[in-house]
Amino acid sequence: MSLKIRAVAACSATCFALPVLPFSAASAADYDPPIYVEEAPEFVPVEVGSGWYLRGDIGYNTGKPAYDLPFAGVDHNRFGGGIGFGYHFTDNFRADLTVSHLGKDEFAYTTPTNAAIGSHSAWSGLVSGYFDIATVVGITPYVGAGLGVVYSRNEVVASLAGHPESPKSFNDRSYDFAYALMAGASYKMTDNVSVDLGYQFLHTPDAPNMDPTTLVMSEGSKQHLVRLGLRYDLW
């Protein structure tokens, strides 16, 4: 009786053990270790135009014209304009480079004893910095200052009775140091476009001039400009 029990037990152990081995081997073969993939850093596109802006202005010169002759036919072209580009260094500070036409004066007169013709035109090139004070309901007041050069062209030919130096001609093209002071306000129309209304005082201490009524040379020119323009932010 004990032999039978032992035989049955041995058979049972063998029968139950045989299926387990293949299952265990198969389970070990099917197991793969976890694969860890590092996340790639987020791609941030570079904004090439960030901070840069373009500007265009039209201006009206309210200063004293180069030739103010009540007895002569004087054509005062007081309108001018300019273009430029700039950069926002911070939310409050920006700077730009501008080239502007400041206007042109022409005159001609003839009397039995006197005759004269002349013209004067000027251009400015300025590097300017601005401080945008604050923005309230889309309006941003600002102040600024600039340094640069004024190119002026003067042509005068005069023949005056009683002047030993007459007839006399003056033809000069000069580049002279200039500085400017500005104040105004801009209004943000869209995220990229602002309209700008401002005042500019432009002083050229050494600009040459000739008084056509006396043939006397003088130096210095002051311009008072009211400007209306647009700024387009490239960001």
Side-chain angles (χ1 to χ4, degrees):
M1 186 69 179
S2 61
L3 293 175
K4 291 183 178 181
I5 293 173
R6 290 177 182 175
V8 171
C11 180
S12 301
T14 303
C15 293
F16 283 105
L18 289 176
V20 173
L21 292 175
F23 176 78
S24 300
S27 298
D30 292 342
Y31 176 76
D32 292 325
I35 300 174
Y36 297 96
V37 179
E38 295 184 1
E39 294 184 2
E42 183 181 357
F43 175 72
V44 179
V46 178
E47 298 180 358
V48 177
S50 179
W52 293 95
Y53 65 87
L54 303 175
R55 66 176 300 158
D57 303 271
I58 58 173
Y60 184 80
N61 192 342
T62 64
K64 182 181 178 180
Y67 308 122
D68 190 9
L69 308 173
F71 54 84
V74 182
D75 181 15
H76 298 303
N77 182 6
R78 312 306 288 162
F79 287 95
I83 57 174
F85 65 92
Y87 186 76
H88 293 271
F89 291 94
T90 68
D91 290 339
N92 297 98
F93 180 72
R94 56 187 169 87
D96 58 36
L97 172 65
T98 56
V99 177
S100 303
H101 177 55
L102 305 177
K104 185 176 183 180
D105 296 319
E106 296 179 297
F107 76 92
Y109 74 89
T110 302
T111 68
T113 57
N114 300 321
I117 58 173
S119 66
H120 173 273
S121 59
W123 293 76
S124 68
L126 296 174
V127 177
S128 305
Y130 305 87
F131 181 74
D132 295 320
I133 300 171
T135 301
V136 180
V137 296
I139 299 176
T140 306
Y142 65 84
V143 293
L147 298 174
V149 174
V150 167
Y151 166 74
S152 58
R153 179 177 178 179
N154 295 273
E155 295 180 338
V156 176
V157 179
S159 176
L160 306 179
H163 285 266
E165 299 180 356
S166 184
K168 186 174 182 178
S169 63
F170 172 66
N171 191 328
D172 182 74
R173 293 167 176 80
S174 64
Y175 294 86
D176 301 287
F177 166 78
Y179 67 88
L181 302 174
M182 288 83 73
S186 63
Y187 176 73
K188 204 170 186 64
M189 300 176 64
T190 68
D191 289 340
N192 296 86
V193 179
S194 299
V195 60
D196 186 315
L197 178 63
Y199 162 78
Q200 181 186 78
F201 170 72
L202 180 63
H203 186 201
T204 313
D206 301 322
N209 298 290
M210 172 187 274
D211 186 341
T213 62
T214 62
L215 303 182
V216 174
M217 295 294 300
S218 62
E219 290 185 347
S221 175
K222 296 180 180 180
Q223 315 283 348
H224 300 270
L225 303 163
V226 178
R227 302 187 307 173
L228 177 65
L230 291 176
R231 294 204 315 267
Y232 180 76
D233 294 321
L234 297 178
W235 52 26

